[in-house]
Structures are given as structure tokens and as C-alpha cells.
């Protein structure tokens, strides 16, 4: 459907996008995820034809469109700023793209009505964009981009300006709309929640280069490098050399030892980074022993570390608990709601060795 | 319990004595004293209290050379406005969308305003004169001097900065994504300029048009230096009546008529375009 090959963009000496290649199949929802300044907008603009690539090519429906201007590519695009024409009504905004694609007066009228209903704004055709709320404007902008049935829908952080509740609602709504129409979509965002919740496939970009391309679960559970592990989701981190001289492989992280999953095959002494997702970490109050020592239990279990509660953030449906381990690392755990833990409590931090991500 | 008092940047001993009404009074007072009163004084001066018809100066002012000068002023004003707007739009468009040296070029646009009009008109005069660079270096004899064309060129040249700045501002305020949106929706470059850029920059164009029209229709130096006897505009006729014929009654009547015409013109303009919006966006 869409294929990007070796796409590269230099601004002077500065390389904004470096040799990027990926493909999107018919009807897929793909997200381009990366921090701000990683080149994702430049990449999207090259796919849209708004910027010329220094090298590489863009193929849309097996036609090489690299040198075509945007108006000859049959794409639909939604922008962060909505980019609605402020001097036109909602109807005129949607009709604009239809007119450019050769729909006659009658078809335009019917299509505008159809798409306004699709985006739940059937009675707003005579409003100016300025009279609509942010969410409504974004919906009009989507209707405008979709009304003439583009080959692909490009979305440039369309939900970024919205507040959290509206954003979640719009995510659901956008996903439903996309599935309903079956339109191939490329969504650009720096928000991992957007990426993980909506996409069939996520392309993680950093420094103008692709870091990983995979489905959301794999991105979260099997990141391929430190950048992806740290950028997508939170985690607890260790690092140190691998040792194979125990019953199971473990990492010697300074004052602590972390036992690794059984299948982790790495050469001895190789320096690695370890990540454990907060959902896999368990924090519970340490049981005081007869002699008053709280740490005796720890020694007996693998991947069990004594520590002190640093912070408890109650998020309603769950809580995020931060603890400092005696060895100095910071542990982050996602717990059930309102845990009976307070700052300064002595705790025991545990996790299953199978949940450790080794990079 | 402590009461939070909202602090104003103005010290209280001052803000207690000076209200917003006082501030408005300064501006309104200035305009009243130096514009409204003098114009009313002109109205009084224009009426004949001696023998003959009280409005005899007006009867003279509405015919002959004076009528021609009125018509010429408005025509020259309109043509100069159109020429200036076209030039200013192209220049402002280039500044906003293509130039990498915006600051430098904007400065160059504004610099001529530091030079007296009379000098600039003399500059144009010299440029086109038989001893000027066009004739001397390139052998081009234009025969432009003391023609309508020369006057229009001079006026457009003098008032260009007043048109560039508002147009630049309104073009600059257009969000770049709006233009990108138009392109992705299937509109080519020209179509995008026509359907998106032009309408969105209208407030600046309207503001520029009003300013240039008022300035050029009332111009005195331009036609005086670059025009001949056939290019005499209303300001020249008023000056002549005042300074050469010492006919203060006639000069006053001409001035009053011109003021009323201009107010009427702006009123019509305001009914068509929303001036408040256009000038408010500057």
C-alpha cells in the first residue's frame, strides 16, 4: 500500500531523517512514535509531498510518488492545529477537498452531509471553525481529510492539543472510525499511550533512524534496544556484567544480583541493561523478624530486595509506588488501588526472573 | 484573615486621581482641539457673509478646474492604491514565504520613511530627467516626466512601505499548516494562494488600501513635483487658492468638500469591508 525506502533528509549538514524504510498494508493503522525532534514530522511531510527528500523514495499503491507534489498524491491529512480554513464554514471546509478531487455540486452536498454525520456533527455545517470546540474542530478536520476517499490518511499529532479525558474519548472514536472506513492510516505521535492503544503496528523513531518496527505488545514487552525500553513505558533498571557461574545466569549489578530468565543466552561478563516493567514488580511491607531485622527474608528468595518507600502516587484505579533499594537503585511498581504503604515504610521488592528484559 | 489586594502597576496616589476617562480625554482633547475645531473654523471661513450668495464659494468649487481636480484626486488615488497593493503584496508574500533575510529586507522597506517625501520625489524626478541615469547610461528617453504615469510612479513609490507592513503582518499570521492542508486536499500552489492565502490576508490588504488611498488622494508634493499643469490634484488647488490667490473662502470650501467626500468614501468602504476588523488586526 505505502512503501518508504531509504528515505533521507538533510537540512544543510544536519541529518533529520536517515535511511528510513517501512511499509504499511491496506487497512492497517501504523503509528510513527518518537520524541519531539526525532524527525517524525519531517518524515510525514516527505510522505505527504510537503517536503522533498534528499534521498530515497515513496511508493503509494505501487506508484512512485517521490517527486509528485502533495496535490497529486490522493492523500488525506489531519494536523495538530486542525488547519481548518478559518474563513470558510464547516461545509465549505469539507467541500474544498471534494471540489479539488472533481466531485460535482450534488455529490459534494451529499458527501458533506454523510461525513458530518459520520463525525457526529450533522447540524454544524454552517458554523465557522472558530465557533467549535477543540474536539469538534479535530473531527471536522478528519471529515475533511476523509471525504474524498484518499488512499491513505496521514495524522500529524491530531490529539496533542486536547485534554486527557477528551483525548481518550477521541482515541476510541478515531479507532472505530478507522476500522469502519477501513482506511489505511499513518499516525504520528510522541505519546506512547496513543501508539500502544490504537495501532496495528508501531514504528519507533529516534534521531532520524528507525529503532524498532513491531506490534504494540512486542514493543512494550520485547524492546530491542535501550532507547525503546526507556521511551516506551516506565521501568525499573539495572545494569552490569552477565555471570554464568551460578545455577542460573545472573547479573552482578554492584551491590545486588539479579537472576535472569532461563533462556537468556549471553556470553559471560557481557555488560547488559535490565528492565522490569512496574506491572511485574511487587512491593509489600517487610515482615519484621524476631530480632528486629527486616531484611532476613530477602536473602532467601531470588530477585527480592529490601528497600524504603520514597513516593506513593495514587492514580485511582491503581497506584504507582517508588522505593529506593538498599543497593541504591530505584524501584517502580504498579500496585492495586490505594496500597497500605506510606513514605518511609520498610518494604520488600520482588519480581519474577522471567519478567526481566535483558538488553 | 488577610485580604489580598490586587496590585496595579500604577502607584495608588496616581491611580486614585487619574481614571480611564482622564486618559481618553487627553487623546480626544487633542483631536478636538487640533482637528475638529480647525475644520469647523474652515466651515465658517467658507461661508460668504457679505454680498452675494452665502454658499457662492461652494458653487465655484464644484465646477471647472476644481471639479476636474476632485475627480483626478480620486482617480489617481484609486490607481495608485491598486498599483501599490499589487507591488506590496508581491513583496510581502516574498518576505513571508521565501526570504531568509526577513529582518534586513523589512528594514530596507522602512528606511525610505526616514527620508523626507520632497527628497524622494526629487529623486524620482532626477531619475527620469534627460540628465538622469536612465537617459545618460542606458540612452533611454522615457518622456515620463510631468505625466500622469510619473505622478502614479512617484506616489506608489512613496507609499509602498505603508502597504507592505499591514500585508506582511496578515500574511505572517497565516498558520503554515493551513497552506499545507490546502495542498494535501488537492489544491495546487496557485489555487491555494487564491482560495486560502488571499482571503486570509484580506484584512491586511484592506487596511493597506485605506491608508494608501487616503494618503495618495490627498497628496500635494507628488503631483507638484512630478506632474505638470494637467496633473493638478485637489491638494494643489487648495494650496493655490490659499497661497497664490489668497482666496481663503474658496480654499476653505474646497477643503470642506474634500473632507466630506473622504469621510463618505470611508463610510462606504466600511460598509463593504469591516474596517474595525482590518485595522484592529494591524
Amino acid at each position: 500500500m505505502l512503501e518508504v525506502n531509504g528515505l533521507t533528509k538533510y537540512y544543510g549538514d544536519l541529518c533529520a531523517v536517515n535511511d528510513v524504510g517501512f511499509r504499511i498494508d491496506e487497512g492497517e493503522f501504523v503509528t510513527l512514535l518518537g520524541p519531539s525532534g526525532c524527525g517524525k514530522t519531517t518524515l510525514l511531510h516527505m510522505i505527504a509531498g510537503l517536503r522533498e527528500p534528499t534521498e530515497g523514495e515513496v511508493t503509494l499503491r505501487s506508484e512512485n510518488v517521490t517527486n509528485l507534489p502533495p496535490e497529486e498524491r490522493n492523500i488525506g491529512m489531519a494536523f495538530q492545529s486542525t488547519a481548518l480554513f478559518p474563513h470558510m464554514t464547516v461545509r465549505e471546509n469539507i467541500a474544498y477537498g471534494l471540489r479539488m478531487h472533481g466531485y460535482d455540486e450534488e455529490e459534494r452536498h451529499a458527501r458533506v452531509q454523510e461525513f458530518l454525520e459520520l463525525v457526529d456533527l450533522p447540524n454544524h455545517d454552517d458554523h465557522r471553525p472558530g465557533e467549535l470546540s477543540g474536539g469538534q474542530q479535530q473531527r471536522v478536520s478528519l471529515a475533511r481529510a476523509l471525504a474524498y476517499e484518499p488512499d491513505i490518511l496521514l495524522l500529524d499529532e491530531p490529539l496533542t492539543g486536547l485534554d486527557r479525558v477528551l483525548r481518550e474519548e477521541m482515541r476510541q472514536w478515531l479507532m472505530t472510525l478507522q476500522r469502519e472506513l477501513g482506511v489505511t492510516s499513518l499516525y504520528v505521535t510522541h505519546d506512547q499511550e496513543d501508539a500502544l492503544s490504537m495501532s496495528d503496528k508501531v514504528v519507533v523513531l529516534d534521531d532520524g533512524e528507525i529503532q524498532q518496527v513491531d506490534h504494540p505488545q512486542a514493543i512494550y514487552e520485547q524492546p530491542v534496544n535501550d532507547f525503546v525500553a526507556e521511551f516506551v513505558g516506565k521501568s525499573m533498571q539495572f545494569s552490569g556484567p552477565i555471570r554464568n557461574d551460578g545455577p542460573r545466569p545472573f547479573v552482578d549489578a554492584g551491590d545486588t544480583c539479579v537472576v535472569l530468565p532461563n533462556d537468556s543466552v549471553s556470553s559471560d561478563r557481557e555488560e547488559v541493561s535490565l528492565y522490569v516493567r512496574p506491572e511485574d514488580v511487587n512491593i509489600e511491607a517487610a515482615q519484621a523478624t524476631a530480632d528486629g531485622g527486616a531484611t532476613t527474608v530477602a536473602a532467601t528468595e531470588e530477585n527480592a530486595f529490601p528497600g524504603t518507600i520514597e513516593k506513593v502516587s495514587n492514580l485511582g484505579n491503581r497506584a504507582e509506588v517508588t522505593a529506593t533499594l538498599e543497593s541504591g537503585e530505584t524501584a517502580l511498581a504498579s500496585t492495586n488501588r490505594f496500597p497500605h504503604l506510606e513514605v518511609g515504610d520498610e518494604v520488600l521488592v520482588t519480581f519474577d526472573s522471567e519478567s526481566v528484559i535483558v538488553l | 484573615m488577610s485580604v489580598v489586594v490586587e496590585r496595579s502597576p500604577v502607584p495608588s496616589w496616581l491611580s486614585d486621581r487619574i481614571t480611564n476617562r482622564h486618559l481618553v480625554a487627553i487623546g480626544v482633547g487633542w483631536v478636538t482641539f487640533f482637528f475638529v475645531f480647525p475644520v469647523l473654523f474652515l466651515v465658517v471661513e467658507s461661508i460668504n457673509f457679505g454680498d452675494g450668495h452665502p454658499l457662492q464659494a461652494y458653487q465655484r468649487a464644484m465646477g471647472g478646474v476644481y471639479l476636474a481636480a476632485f475627480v483626478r484626486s480620486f482617480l489617481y488615488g484609486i490607481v495608485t492604491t491598486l498599483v501599490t497593493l499589487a507591488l506590496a503584496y508581491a513583496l510581502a508574500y516574498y518576505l513571508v514565504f521565501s526570504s531568509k533575510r526577513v529582518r534586513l529586507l523589512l528594514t530596507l522597506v522602512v528606511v525610505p520613511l526616514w527620508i523626507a517625501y520632497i527628497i524622494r520625489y526629487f529623486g524620482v524626478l532626477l531619475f527620469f530627467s534627460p540628465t538622469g541615469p536612465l537617459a545618460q547610461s542606458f540612452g533611454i528617453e522615457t518622456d515620463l516626466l510631468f505625466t500622469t504615469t510619473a505622478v502614479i510612479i512617484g506616489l506608489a513609490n512613496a507609499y509602498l512601505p505603508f502597504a507592505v507592513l499591514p500585508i506582511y503582518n496578515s500574511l505572517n499570521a497565516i498558520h503554515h499548516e493551513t497552506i499545507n492542508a490546502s495542498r494535501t486536499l488537492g489544491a495546487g500552489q496557485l489555487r491555494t494562494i487564491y482560495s486560502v492565502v488571499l482571503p486570509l490576508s484580506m484584512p491586511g490588504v484592506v487596511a493597506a488600501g485605506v491608508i494608501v488611498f487616503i494618503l495618495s488622494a490627498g497628496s500635494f508634493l507628488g503631483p507638484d513635483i512630478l506632474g505638470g499643469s494637467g496633473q493638478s490634484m485637489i491638494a494643489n488647488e487648495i494650496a493655490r487658492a490659499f497661497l497664490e490667490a489668497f482666496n481663503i473662502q474658496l480654499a476653505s470650501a474646497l477643503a470642506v468638500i474634500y473632507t466630506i467626500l473622504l469621510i463618505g468614501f470611508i463610510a462606504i468602504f466600511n460598509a463593504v469591508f469591516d474596517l474595525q476588523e482590518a485595522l484592529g488586526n494591524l
Side-chain angles (χ1 to χ4, degrees), chain A residues 35-57:
Chain A
S36 52
C38 73
K40 56 190 189 300
T41 297
T42 305
L43 181 55
L44 192 72
H45 279 193
M46 289 193 287
I47 293 169
L50 295 166
R51 262 175 247 194
E52 242 176 82
T54 314
E55 256 174 69
E57 54 184 40

Side-chain angles (χ1 to χ4, degrees), chain B residues 80-99:
Chain B
T80 305
T81 305
L82 294 178
V83 170
T84 312
L85 285 183
L87 292 172
Y89 202 91
L91 182 54
Y93 189 92
Y94 171 77
L95 282 176
V96 172
F97 295 111
S98 305
S99 173

Side-chain angles (χ1 to χ4, degrees), chain A residues 7 9 11 16-17 32-51 77-80 154-157 160 186-190 205 208, chain B residues 177 180:
Chain A
L7 220 51
K9 177 74 184 177
Y11 293 115
V17 172
L32 212 54
L33 175 68
S36 52
C38 73
K40 56 190 189 300
T41 297
T42 305
L43 181 55
L44 192 72
H45 279 193
M46 289 193 287
I47 293 169
L50 295 166
R51 262 175 247 194
M77 190 158 173
F79 299 83
Q80 186 185 335
L154 306 173
L155 302 129
D156 189 5
E157 311 219 19
T160 298
L186 178 60
Y187 184 99
V188 163
T189 185
H190 65 268
L205 202 69
Chain B
E177 286 196 339
N180 284 347

Side-chain angles (χ1 to χ4, degrees), chain A residues 310-329:
Chain A
E310 200 67 28
K311 199 171 103 187
V312 180
S313 307
N314 286 307
L315 303 172
N317 55 349
R318 66 191 175 92
E320 267 181 11
V321 181
T322 315
T324 307
L325 303 187
E326 279 179 4
S327 50
E329 278 94 354

Side-chain angles (χ1 to χ4, degrees), chain A residues 2 12 32 39 45 55 68 93 95 108 119 130 162 168 171 174 186-187 192 194 295 297 311 327 341-342:
Chain A
L2 175 86
L32 212 54
H45 279 193
E55 256 174 69
L68 289 184
N93 261 284
R108 287 208 295 267
V119 299
L162 307 176
E168 229 151 86
R171 242 181 232 153
L174 182 59
L186 178 60
Y187 184 99
Q192 39 163 313
D194 280 0
T295 60
V297 194
K311 199 171 103 187
S327 50
L341 294 171
E342 275 175 43

Side-chain angles (χ1 to χ4, degrees), chain A residues 50 69-71 75 77 79-81 83 85-88 96-97 99-101 144 148, chain B residues 175 177-189 191-192 195-197 199-200:
Chain A
L50 295 166
E71 63 266 24
I75 49 172
M77 190 158 173
F79 299 83
Q80 186 185 335
S81 66
F85 305 129
H87 58 298
M88 299 183 192
Y96 189 82
R99 180 179 305 133
M100 298 307 151
H101 284 81
R144 182 178 69 171
Y148 50 88
Chain B
H175 200 301
E177 286 196 339
T178 327
I179 294 162
N180 284 347
S182 172
R183 299 296 300 280
T184 60
L185 286 166
Q189 218 159 357
R191 180 73 206 209
T192 299
S195 297
V196 177
V197 180
L200 287 179

Side-chain angles (χ1 to χ4, degrees), chain B residues 88-219:
Chain B
Y89 202 91
L91 182 54
Y93 189 92
Y94 171 77
L95 282 176
V96 172
F97 295 111
S98 305
S99 173
K100 292 194 167 64
R101 292 217 155 80
V102 178
R103 239 165 220 282
L104 175 72
L105 288 170
L106 268 182
T107 311
L108 287 180
V109 166
V110 177
V111 159
L113 292 178
W114 299 346
I115 302 164
Y117 283 116
I118 194 159
I119 309 279
R120 291 158 64 195
Y121 289 130
F122 275 125
V124 177
L125 182 78
L126 286 174
F127 188 75
F128 286 128
S129 77
T131 53
L134 269 189
Q136 294 279 313
S137 312
F138 303 105
I140 305 170
E141 295 266 1
T142 54
D143 286 334
L144 272 179
L145 277 185
F146 314 119
T147 66
T148 304
T149 316
V151 176
I152 304 280
I153 289 175
L155 293 178
N157 170 44
Y159 301 129
L160 189 65
F162 294 104
V164 172
L165 296 179
I167 295 174
Y168 171 83
N169 261 346
S170 65
L171 280 176
N172 211 22
I174 298 174
H175 200 301
H176 212 271
E177 286 196 339
T178 327
I179 294 162
N180 284 347
S182 172
R183 299 296 300 280
T184 60
L185 286 166
Q189 218 159 357
L190 286 178
R191 180 73 206 209
T192 299
I193 292 175
Y194 174 73
S195 297
V196 177
V197 180
L198 198 57
L200 287 179
S201 60
M202 260 342 247
V205 175
V206 169
V210 172
I211 294 169
V212 173
F213 177 77
I214 292 173
L215 289 175
S216 54
S219 180

